[in-house]
Amino acid sequence: MTNSCRKNSASNGFEILIQGTVQGVGFRPFVYNLARRLKIAGSVANTGDGVRIRAMARDQDSLDAFLAALRHEAPPLAVITGLRHQPLHQPLVDDGFVILASSTGQGARTALPPDIALCDDCLRELFDPADHRFRYPFINCTNCGPRFSIVESIPYDRRHTSMKSFAMCPTCTAQYQDPGDRRFHAQPNACADCGPGLFWHDPGGGEGATITPLTGAAAALAADQVVAIRGLGGFHLAVNAHSSTAVRLLRRRKGRPDKPLAVMMPDLQVIRRHCLVSEKEEELLRSPVHPIVLLKKNRPFSLADELVFTIGELGVMLPYTPFQQLLFAEPGCPDVLVMTSGNAAGAPICTANDDAITRLSPLADAFLLHDREIVTRVDDSVARIVADRPQIFRRARGYVPAPLTVPWPLPAVLGVGGSQKNTFCLGRETSLYLSQHIGDLVDLESSEFFLESLAHFHRVFQIEPEICCCDLHPDYLSSRYGAQLGIPLYRIQHHHAHAVAVMAEHGLDGPVLAVVLDGTGYGPDGTVWGGEILLTEYTDSTRLAHLEQLPLPGGDSCASEPWRMGLAALFAAHDHRPWPENTLPGALKAIDARKRRVVNSMLTAQFNSPLTSSCGRLFDAVAAILAVRQQLSYEGQGASELEALARTAATATWYREIDTVSQRRSLRPWGEKDGKLEIYSTQFVKMVLTALDQGRTRAETALYFHCLLIGALAGLLVELAESTGIRQVALAGGCIQNSLLLEGLRHTLAADGLQIFTGEKLPVNDGAISFGQAVTGGLRHVSCNSHAGHQCSG
Ligand code: ZN
Ligand code: ZN
Ligand code: FE
């Protein structure tokens, strides 16, 4: 860069184009102040394409210093992905440095910033009686506040956000226009005189003329009522987390009997009263994202037991908006609040006041509302730390829509994702934009959210896809949507997409050995896959090994009734005959005999019993045998409760036992079948039964099962690494969210000298499928076009 400056230094005038997350992060004020400091004349403007600077320096050194500082001193939230410059043909008139009004460019490539949690400066001002914005519930600045959730179109300017309906007062205007101010060009800038406000809506007690919205909310929460709170990216349903009565009421009304509920606590001091917090976890809790972080509960646990059943972790977040801070500061407000998504079961989170009042009235006693419209719904993100590394379960608020970059230019591509935990991925060239968590695409409401959000991404990134990539499963709503677009369609196998998501996140060249431990995914052979070892390249994938197939008696109902899987695994373990009644594990004997007879006859007749190599269903089978649970109320419940049970038997260095327990050096629980290797899952099932017979506790047996599975996978991977010469292993799939499985595999494989990669910035669950699809489909399209000279789909 420096060299080219010197060559073209005739006029010392340059045009500089910067791409990346450079709008809404205080970039223009930063450039302005930098230019003044270095005595650079010219201008800076947001364009549809990024930020454009025209600069003229008095001498070469200050121009070089300017270019260097643009990169090195950029504001904390800015992410520069491209910086190009060229000499200006016409010299600039030296009349200082100015910020120009935005111009809308063609083909916008500017990343929109995500929503950012309240910053420390704004927090201080919020509680400073001398400050202009003392106790103002919507205080923000260039370093914090809403972004993605309020943007209608680009460039990111106030007139393109839902703040356009609020005209700034003279004080706010002056700060907005003052380059030395922290609110210089802060688009959502507002104060009590001119900006949005809070409202209290209590259908029972009227509009509450005598109380303020915050005192009303605090009092209702203290009285164990359910309060619907309009937040940043949608509504929350809040209750007092200390009160069993309140939590039970919320569970009953929401139709959510067991699934863990996340809580919000005002600060780390309160969090430490209830949970263990490591340094890394603290960092994640306090990051600009402020995600829900899964933390280990303290023993004894002093919050309502009904928050999480069986599981040893609690999802906790810190307040990320000023009004959440104010609510906690309100006298009498409980210091721990359940903050669960404000939606009716299965429907996406509510965003508009009217809609919420209609749909949440059966659930909530009162409403804390505001009038800053939410343009795009975005749920709270969920993450945790496993062995000092982050793992994301739900990628939404605070992360989206930051771009993911890949090293190869791709055509304009849309990946429509899978069916559960759906996201889509829209991209072009080297930037891919993964949508916020959409949810399960099973009904009209969640697919409306999909379509709405997709339309929004089209609008703000101005990408018109040339190709679409979908799952191999023809009946997914996402696949059907992709098929009717009328552009080349690439159908990517589910577990291939899982593996590629991890490869692309880490920029691996491939091929890799991919271990995809998952619930279900459609296999090219028409069976249900889900426990796979694949030899994976970006455009292709070969199945090397899989878990032994188990029948699914009753098909889809197995996913919610683990006892069916328990009987199926025992059936398979008993040479495909019903397991003898007299030695049936107690947990299964407790199931109604007629129901068992029906399932056993289905298994015997091979009626409505498709085969699956799913790892999730194997966990369900073991969960059933170990009496963990026979009926599930949410996806993955059996597996996560089995993990929690095993956790109670695990020491800090439990994984050192894997070699011993699995005896994997001598025991090779796999063999060849139809040209693939098959891992004998039924052998684990028999060993689990033996362990129980020998008097091991359920918890010890659950941990033993984890060790057997890890030992077998690791043993087989070592052999495959030797035969293929590949030493990079990608771990993916929903079961990798099991931290015992992940820690155990990491430890054991690393000890064998293999390199392990797994999702850290992206979920390992189906939330990353669309990204994997887009990369694989995009690269297939490029290679088809370059090799065959024409388009091909498949
Ligand atoms: Zn701030
Ligand atoms: Zn104002
Ligand atoms: Fe999956």
Side-chain angles (χ1 to χ4, degrees):
M1 180 194 294
T2 311
N3 284 344
S4 70
C5 292
R6 291 196 192 285
K7 260 181 253 161
N8 298 303
S9 57
S11 75
N12 281 338
F14 277 86
E15 181 170 82
I16 304 161
L17 282 171
I18 302 173
Q19 292 175 336
T21 306
V22 289
Q23 294 188 7
V25 292
F27 202 83
R28 286 178 305 168
F30 151 71
V31 173
Y32 175 88
N33 286 315
L34 185 67
R36 302 263 286 217
R37 192 179 90 209
L38 297 172
K39 305 212 166 22
I40 304 278
S43 63
V44 57
N46 277 345
T47 68
D49 223 22
V51 163
R52 190 197 57 224
I53 301 166
R54 294 209 168 104
M56 195 177 76
R58 282 167 212 280
D59 55 60
Q60 189 58 47
D61 285 348
S62 42
L63 186 63
D64 288 350
F66 183 64
L67 285 168
L70 282 177
R71 275 191 186 277
H72 299 130
E73 294 176 28
L77 300 175
V79 182
I80 295 176
T81 58
L83 192 154
R84 288 180 289 129
H85 62 92
Q86 57 187 37
L88 275 176
H89 300 303
Q90 307 225 313
L92 292 171
V93 185
D94 184 0
D95 55 356
F97 198 90
V98 290
I99 296 181
L100 298 177
S102 300
S103 67
T104 315
Q106 289 282 307
R109 256 147 241 203
T110 295
L112 284 177
D115 301 296
I116 303 296
L118 185 71
C119 75
D120 289 344
D121 290 328
C122 286
L123 178 62
R124 204 175 316 110
E125 290 169 352
L126 183 65
F127 291 107
D128 176 3
D131 193 87
H132 178 61
R133 291 182 185 78
F134 175 55
R135 294 186 55 84
Y136 179 56
F138 297 89
I139 185 171
N140 65 81
C141 72
T142 47
N143 299 320
C144 74
R147 302 285 190 272
F148 176 64
S149 61
I150 59 162
V151 168
E152 291 163 350
S153 61
I154 51 156
Y156 175 63
D157 266 347
R158 191 177 178 102
R159 66 198 157 99
H160 293 136
T161 71
S162 58
M163 285 300 293
K164 65 175 186 260
S165 49
F166 300 95
M168 274 187 277
C169 71
T171 310
C172 287
T173 308
Q175 291 173 329
Y176 183 86
Q177 289 173 348
D178 174 5
D181 197 278
R182 212 171 79 249
R183 297 194 168 82
F184 182 55
H185 287 222
Q187 306 306 342
N189 183 32
C191 74
D193 298 334
C194 64
L198 290 174
F199 305 89
W200 179 239
H201 176 73
D202 179 353
E207 296 303 309
T210 54
I211 50 165
T212 72
L214 288 165
T215 53
L221 290 164
D224 287 350
Q225 293 191 338
V226 180
V227 180
I229 301 177
R230 193 185 204 192
L232 185 68
F235 272 80
H236 281 124
L237 289 169
V239 293
N240 179 1
H242 289 279
S243 160
S244 290
T245 314
V247 178
R248 277 202 296 262
L249 177 71
L250 175 66
R251 284 200 176 280
R252 193 171 63 242
R253 287 190 187 165
K254 219 187 160 189
R256 180 164 161 153
D258 309 309
K259 198 173 178 184
L261 294 165
V263 297
M264 184 178 278
M265 306 196 203
D267 53 47
L268 274 152
Q269 214 183 331
V270 178
I271 295 179
R272 287 213 169 84
R273 229 175 273 156
H274 306 289
C275 298
L276 291 169
V277 191
S278 71
E279 215 169 286
K280 283 267 186 295
E281 285 162 344
E282 177 176 339
E283 208 175 284
L284 187 57
L285 281 163
R286 295 165 58 100
S287 69
V289 176
H290 271 48
I292 294 170
V293 179
L294 301 189
L295 300 173
K296 283 192 189 64
K297 294 190 287 188
N298 278 346
R299 301 263 164 220
F301 184 60
S302 46
L303 296 172
D305 288 328
E306 292 81 358
L307 292 174
V308 255
F309 300 101
T310 324
I311 292 164
E313 288 176 316
L314 179 69
V316 182
M317 61 185 148
L318 287 166
Y320 51 84
T321 68
F323 50 88
Q324 289 163 352
Q325 288 283 359
L326 289 170
L327 179 60
F328 279 114
E330 203 59 37
C333 183
D335 68 352
V336 185
L337 293 174
V338 171
M339 283 282 202
T340 187
S341 305
N343 59 334
I349 188 168
C350 292
T351 53
N353 288 338
D354 294 352
D355 182 49
I357 289 172
T358 312
R359 292 202 294 155
L360 299 181
S361 277
L363 282 70
D365 298 300
F367 293 78
L368 180 59
L369 305 173
H370 64 70
D371 57 354
R372 187 179 68 198
E373 293 310 316
I374 299 167
V375 176
T376 304
R377 61 164 66 82
V378 53
D379 289 84
D380 293 319
S381 294
V382 184
R384 80 159 155 207
I385 301 287
V386 184
D388 276 352
R389 291 161 188 265
Q391 185 175 50
I392 295 182
F393 289 74
R394 191 205 278 160
R395 188 177 176 277
R397 176 182 51 75
Y399 292 110
V400 176
L404 304 160
T405 47
V406 290
W408 335 270
L410 299 175
V413 56
L414 170 65
V416 289
S419 170
Q420 291 181 323
K421 298 186 170 65
N422 178 274
T423 61
F424 60 82
C425 181
L426 190 63
R428 177 178 48 201
E429 289 169 15
T430 57
S431 294
L432 293 171
Y433 302 94
L434 186 61
S435 79
Q436 72 273 45
H437 165 86
I438 305 278
D440 297 349
L441 285 188
V442 284
D443 51 30
L444 204 61
E445 277 189 314
S446 56
S447 51
E448 260 173 36
F449 180 14
F450 174 89
L451 295 174
E452 255 173 43
S453 189
L454 186 54
H456 190 244
F457 269 63
H458 277 308
R459 195 160 54 240
V460 295
F461 296 114
Q462 301 189 1
I463 296 172
E464 206 41 65
E466 296 161 47
I467 63 163
C468 179
C469 314
C470 69
D471 198 273
L472 210 54
H473 199 306
D475 294 330
Y476 282 173
L477 284 180
S478 54
S479 304
R480 289 204 202 139
Y481 173 80
Q484 51 81 47
L485 285 177
I487 51 179
L489 183 68
Y490 291 83
R491 295 184 188 270
I492 317 295
Q493 201 276 323
H494 190 85
H495 303 104
H496 184 200
H498 266 303
V500 167
V502 173
M503 288 172 72
E505 180 191 325
H506 293 279
L508 305 180
D509 288 332
V512 304
L513 294 170
V515 183
V516 188
L517 304 178
D518 206 21
T520 56
Y522 195 77
D525 58 356
T527 69
V528 182
W529 289 19
E532 314 299 319
I533 300 182
L534 310 170
L535 177 78
T536 304
E537 296 180 82
Y538 282 106
T539 51
D540 259 305
S541 175
T542 311
R543 192 186 207 188
L544 298 179
H546 57 84
L547 292 179
E548 179 182 348
Q549 290 180 319
L550 298 176
L552 293 162
D556 287 345
S557 52
C558 289
S560 57
E561 296 182 12
W563 62 271
R564 288 173 183 266
M565 286 316 299
L567 288 178
L570 293 174
F571 179 87
H574 194 241
D575 279 336
H576 296 269
R577 281 173 294 136
W579 190 269
E581 188 83 8
N582 56 337
T583 55
L584 200 63
L588 290 170
K589 225 177 240 172
I591 301 290
D592 183 56
R594 277 165 306 175
K595 284 184 169 179
R596 271 189 278 134
R597 225 171 297 132
V598 171
V599 162
N600 274 328
S601 51
M602 276 168 120
L603 288 164
T604 310
Q606 295 178 24
F607 171 75
N608 193 17
S609 300
L611 295 174
T612 184
S613 56
S614 163
C615 184
R617 293 300 86 74
L618 175 63
F619 269 84
D620 285 347
V622 176
I625 291 168
L626 291 179
V628 169
R629 192 170 290 273
Q630 308 300 0
Q631 180 82 42
L632 306 184
S633 70
Y634 64 92
E635 194 247 326
Q637 186 180 10
S640 62
E641 292 185 351
L642 183 66
E643 174 195 352
L645 178 64
R647 207 24 107 182
T648 62
T651 61
T653 53
W654 67 273
Y655 41 78
R656 291 191 189 148
E657 303 292 320
I658 291 169
D659 275 343
T660 326
V661 167
S662 68
Q663 301 168 286
R664 72 183 163 98
R665 301 296 171 190
S666 54
L667 196 76
R668 294 174 78 249
W670 59 81
E672 211 173 299
K673 190 190 173 193
D674 304 332
K676 311 283 176 208
L677 291 167
E678 187 183 59
I679 301 167
Y680 302 136
S681 314
T682 50
Q683 201 164 318
F684 308 147
V685 172
K686 286 187 215 162
M687 290 167 87
V688 159
L689 291 177
T690 308
L692 284 176
D693 282 346
Q694 288 168 347
R696 289 218 211 184
T697 64
R698 289 166 60 243
E700 285 164 0
T701 312
L703 183 62
Y704 175 61
F705 165 69
H706 280 79
C707 292
L708 288 172
L709 180 61
I710 294 163
L713 288 166
L716 178 52
L717 278 163
V718 168
E719 289 192 10
L720 290 171
E722 272 157 26
S723 63
T724 59
I726 298 167
R727 309 205 67 78
Q728 293 190 321
V729 177
L731 302 177
C735 297
I736 293 296
Q737 293 174 138
N738 177 324
S739 66
L740 282 172
L741 212 48
L742 177 57
E743 278 173 39
L745 281 168
R746 241 185 213 296
H747 173 83
T748 313
L749 293 171
D752 285 318
L754 300 179
Q755 257 187 300
I756 321 302
F757 300 91
T758 189
E760 291 176 15
K761 290 184 200 148
L762 297 178
V764 289
N765 62 38
D766 286 5
I769 286 290
S770 61
F771 175 63
Q773 288 172 344
V775 171
T776 293
L779 288 173
R780 276 193 195 163
H781 188 73
V782 170
S783 93
C784 279
N785 283 333
S786 61
H787 292 175
H790 62 273
Q791 289 174 347
C792 55
S793 297

